Short mmCIF file of all heavy atoms in Angstrom, two decimals:
data_model
loop_
_atom_site.label_atom_id
_atom_site.label_comp_id
_atom_site.label_asym_id
_atom_site.label_seq_id
_atom_site.Cartn_x
_atom_site.Cartn_y
_atom_site.Cartn_z
N MET A 247 30.77 -1.26 10.94
CA MET A 247 30.01 -0.13 11.44
C MET A 247 28.52 -0.46 11.36
O MET A 247 28.05 -1.04 10.41
CB MET A 247 30.34 1.10 10.60
CG MET A 247 29.82 2.36 11.18
SD MET A 247 30.76 3.71 10.44
CE MET A 247 29.66 5.00 10.74
N CYS A 269 7.08 -2.03 9.52
CA CYS A 269 7.62 -3.16 8.79
C CYS A 269 6.72 -4.39 8.89
O CYS A 269 6.76 -5.25 8.04
CB CYS A 269 9.03 -3.50 9.27
SG CYS A 269 10.22 -2.23 8.81
N ASN A 270 5.93 -4.45 9.94
CA ASN A 270 5.00 -5.57 10.09
C ASN A 270 3.68 -5.30 9.40
O ASN A 270 2.78 -6.11 9.47
CB ASN A 270 4.75 -5.85 11.57
CG ASN A 270 5.97 -6.42 12.22
OD1 ASN A 270 6.77 -7.07 11.59
ND2 ASN A 270 6.12 -6.16 13.51
N GLU A 272 1.43 -2.93 10.10
CA GLU A 272 0.35 -2.43 10.96
C GLU A 272 0.14 -0.95 10.66
O GLU A 272 0.42 -0.08 11.45
CB GLU A 272 0.69 -2.66 12.42
CG GLU A 272 0.78 -4.14 12.76
CD GLU A 272 1.18 -4.39 14.19
OE1 GLU A 272 1.14 -3.45 15.00
OE2 GLU A 272 1.53 -5.53 14.50
N LYS A 279 -0.12 8.63 14.28
CA LYS A 279 0.92 9.29 15.06
C LYS A 279 2.09 9.76 14.21
O LYS A 279 2.62 10.84 14.42
CB LYS A 279 1.40 8.35 16.16
CG LYS A 279 2.33 9.02 17.15
CD LYS A 279 2.60 8.12 18.33
CE LYS A 279 3.50 8.83 19.34
NZ LYS A 279 3.81 7.98 20.48
N ILE A 311 0.90 3.77 -0.37
CA ILE A 311 -0.41 4.17 -0.89
C ILE A 311 -1.51 3.75 0.08
O ILE A 311 -2.43 4.51 0.37
CB ILE A 311 -0.63 3.61 -2.30
CG1 ILE A 311 0.33 4.31 -3.26
CG2 ILE A 311 -2.08 3.76 -2.75
CD1 ILE A 311 0.45 3.66 -4.61
N ALA A 315 -3.99 6.24 2.06
CA ALA A 315 -5.44 6.08 1.93
C ALA A 315 -6.10 5.97 3.30
O ALA A 315 -7.28 6.29 3.44
CB ALA A 315 -5.76 4.86 1.08
N GLU A 327 1.83 13.26 -1.20
CA GLU A 327 1.48 14.18 -2.28
C GLU A 327 1.68 13.61 -3.68
O GLU A 327 0.86 13.81 -4.55
CB GLU A 327 2.24 15.49 -2.13
CG GLU A 327 1.71 16.35 -1.01
CD GLU A 327 2.47 17.66 -0.86
OE1 GLU A 327 3.45 17.89 -1.59
OE2 GLU A 327 2.09 18.45 0.00
N GLY A 331 -3.32 10.62 -6.74
CA GLY A 331 -4.18 9.99 -7.74
C GLY A 331 -4.43 8.53 -7.41
O GLY A 331 -5.57 8.06 -7.43
N ARG A 332 -3.37 7.81 -7.07
CA ARG A 332 -3.52 6.40 -6.71
C ARG A 332 -4.23 6.23 -5.38
O ARG A 332 -5.01 5.31 -5.19
CB ARG A 332 -2.15 5.71 -6.70
CG ARG A 332 -1.59 5.57 -8.11
CD ARG A 332 -0.22 4.98 -8.16
NE ARG A 332 -0.21 3.59 -7.74
CZ ARG A 332 0.90 2.86 -7.67
NH1 ARG A 332 2.05 3.39 -8.01
NH2 ARG A 332 0.84 1.62 -7.27
N ARG A 340 -12.18 1.06 -2.14
CA ARG A 340 -12.65 0.68 -0.80
C ARG A 340 -14.12 1.02 -0.63
O ARG A 340 -14.88 0.24 -0.05
CB ARG A 340 -11.83 1.39 0.28
CG ARG A 340 -10.44 0.85 0.45
CD ARG A 340 -9.74 1.60 1.56
NE ARG A 340 -8.38 1.13 1.73
CZ ARG A 340 -7.52 1.68 2.57
NH1 ARG A 340 -7.88 2.72 3.31
NH2 ARG A 340 -6.29 1.19 2.68
N GLN A 345 -19.78 -0.75 -0.34
CA GLN A 345 -21.15 -0.73 -0.85
C GLN A 345 -21.58 -2.12 -1.30
O GLN A 345 -22.72 -2.54 -1.05
CB GLN A 345 -21.28 0.27 -2.00
CG GLN A 345 -21.21 1.71 -1.56
CD GLN A 345 -21.17 2.68 -2.73
OE1 GLN A 345 -20.96 2.28 -3.88
NE2 GLN A 345 -21.37 3.96 -2.44
N GLN A 350 -24.76 -7.01 -0.38
CA GLN A 350 -24.80 -8.45 -0.16
C GLN A 350 -25.47 -8.77 1.18
O GLN A 350 -26.28 -9.70 1.27
CB GLN A 350 -23.40 -9.05 -0.22
CG GLN A 350 -22.82 -9.10 -1.60
CD GLN A 350 -21.38 -9.56 -1.61
OE1 GLN A 350 -20.71 -9.59 -0.58
NE2 GLN A 350 -20.88 -9.92 -2.79
N GLU A 351 -25.12 -8.00 2.20
CA GLU A 351 -25.72 -8.21 3.52
C GLU A 351 -27.22 -7.95 3.48
O GLU A 351 -28.00 -8.70 4.07
CB GLU A 351 -25.05 -7.32 4.56
CG GLU A 351 -23.64 -7.73 4.90
CD GLU A 351 -22.91 -6.74 5.80
OE1 GLU A 351 -23.54 -5.76 6.27
OE2 GLU A 351 -21.70 -6.93 6.02
N ARG A 357 -33.37 -12.47 2.07
CA ARG A 357 -33.59 -13.89 1.84
C ARG A 357 -33.96 -14.60 3.13
O ARG A 357 -34.85 -15.46 3.16
CB ARG A 357 -32.34 -14.54 1.22
CG ARG A 357 -32.13 -14.12 -0.23
CD ARG A 357 -30.98 -14.81 -0.83
NE ARG A 357 -31.33 -16.23 -1.00
CZ ARG A 357 -30.47 -17.17 -1.32
NH1 ARG A 357 -29.20 -16.88 -1.51
NH2 ARG A 357 -30.85 -18.42 -1.45
N HIS A 366 -43.61 -19.80 8.30
CA HIS A 366 -44.74 -19.50 9.18
C HIS A 366 -46.01 -19.57 8.44
O HIS A 366 -46.65 -19.59 7.70
CB HIS A 366 -44.59 -18.11 9.82
CG HIS A 366 -43.45 -18.06 10.79
ND1 HIS A 366 -43.50 -18.66 12.01
CD2 HIS A 366 -42.22 -17.50 10.71
CE1 HIS A 366 -42.36 -18.46 12.65
NE2 HIS A 366 -41.57 -17.75 11.86
#
Side-chain angles (χ1 to χ4, degrees):
M247 191 161 160
C269 291
N270 290 331
E272 296 177 14
K279 189 171 182 181
I311 291 167
E327 286 180 357
R332 290 177 67 181
R340 286 181 181 175
Q345 289 173 347
Q350 288 174 345
E351 289 172 6
R357 288 184 70 191
H366 292 287

